[in-house]
Every structure is written in C-alpha cells, then in structure tokens.
Amino acid sequence: MARRRKAQKREVLPDAKYGDVVLTVFMNSLMECGKKSIAEKIIYGALESIEKKTSGSSIEMFHEALNNVKPLLEVKSRRVGGATYQVPMEVRRDRAQSLAIRWLIDGASKRAENTMMERLAAEILEAVNNRGAAIKKREDTHKMAEANRAFAHYRW
C-alpha cells in the first residue's frame, strides 16, 4: 500500500455499443493478455443471450446483478497489542464495485457451461435472482463481518 499519496484514478472511456463506463471496467477486468476484442465478444454475446432469455433490457439486468453482488461490509486485519483481529469495516463504493466485478467474473469462470459467454450470462441471471457463486461470496463476506462485530471498536 502506498504511503506517500493517493493513487490517481484513470479515466475510462464508455464502451462503443452501450455507452456505459461500468461495462468498460467490467470488460477490462475480463480481458486477458490485452485481448480486448475477445473480451468485447464475450460480454456482448452474454448480454445478447440474456436479452433472448428474458424480456428486459440486458444492460439494466447487468447493473442490477452488479448491485446485488456489491458488499456492504468486509473484514480487515488490524494488529492490536500483539494480536490480530478481523475488524468489520464499511466498503467504499469504488471498492464494492471492483469486488462485485471480480466475484462475477470468478463465479462465471468456475461454472460448467461450455463457453465463457454462456457462463457469464448464466452468472448474471443468477445474480439478478440473488443466487449463484458471486452472491454466495457476498453472503460469506457479510457473515464474516457479522461474526466479528465484537471487534468493531478497533476500527480507526
């Protein structure tokens, strides 16, 4: 962790098809080895698949899934008097978004469907319905914070 100054936020341009900045951040997280065109195909294919399966707008479902996965609390290790405590902390908005994106991608990649497009579409649909691996990860994080609520006074 840098101790001198806060890291600068990079400016992210909105994606070409939907004009959405959050979708571009998601695309950049999904991208491997600089292959952005492949990440675009995966995401746009997943969104088209969602639109075919449901009647609603796929980009709105994507945002709803992301909001459902965002954690409110997490635990951070604090060392106090030789002992390390897991202290529950509120999650900042930008960190909550990055955690939700990471958990959605991890949950999709661990699924059993054939292509990443199908996996991502299924994981987004499950996150909209409050099911799936990403939602389970959020619930586990919240349970851990709730279990360590006794150490909340060590927060600073």
Side-chain angles (χ1 to χ4, degrees):
M1 178 182 268
R3 295 180 185 273
R4 290 179 187 265
R5 59 186 162 86
K6 192 175 178 183
Q8 287 183 342
K9 284 286 189 188
R10 291 194 190 102
E11 192 67 31
V12 180
L13 299 174
D15 74 300
K17 191 171 183 181
Y18 295 99
D20 191 7
V21 176
V22 178
L23 196 64
T24 304
V25 173
F26 191 84
M27 200 177 298
N28 289 343
S29 297
L30 183 69
M31 177 173 56
E32 291 182 3
C33 300
K35 306 275 188 170
K36 191 158 190 171
S37 59
I38 293 174
E40 279 181 1
K41 287 178 190 172
I42 291 170
I43 290 175
Y44 292 151
L47 292 177
E48 285 174 19
S49 173
I50 289 171
E51 225 162 74
K52 288 177 187 173
K53 290 179 184 176
T54 61
S55 59
S57 169
S58 60
I59 194 73
E60 289 174 7
M61 291 191 122
F62 169 74
H63 283 291
E64 187 180 342
L66 212 58
N67 286 333
N68 286 349
V69 175
K70 284 182 185 177
L72 300 173
L73 295 170
E74 68 177 345
V75 290
K76 288 192 174 182
S77 296
R78 291 279 185 240
R79 190 160 169 85
V80 178
T84 305
Y85 298 106
Q86 296 287 333
V87 180
M89 309 274 274
E90 290 86 17
V91 182
R92 293 188 329 270
R93 194 174 17 143
D94 55 339
R95 176 157 170 80
Q97 178 179 313
S98 64
L99 285 173
I101 287 171
R102 199 178 314 156
W103 293 344
L104 268 175
I105 291 172
D106 286 345
S109 63
K110 292 176 182 172
R111 291 180 71 90
E113 282 87 357
N114 291 331
T115 64
M116 188 60 182
M117 262 183 248
E118 295 170 3
R119 294 180 201 160
L120 189 59
E123 189 65 31
I124 288 172
L125 285 174
E126 284 198 349
V128 167
N129 297 323
N130 280 323
R131 294 192 312 258
I135 295 291
K136 184 175 181 344
K137 182 74 172 165
R138 185 202 65 190
E139 292 302 322
D140 291 345
T141 304
H142 282 180
K143 280 181 189 171
M144 180 84 80
E146 192 66 29
N148 289 303
R149 199 175 62 205
F151 304 122
H153 63 280
Y154 288 123
R155 183 174 18 201
W156 65 77

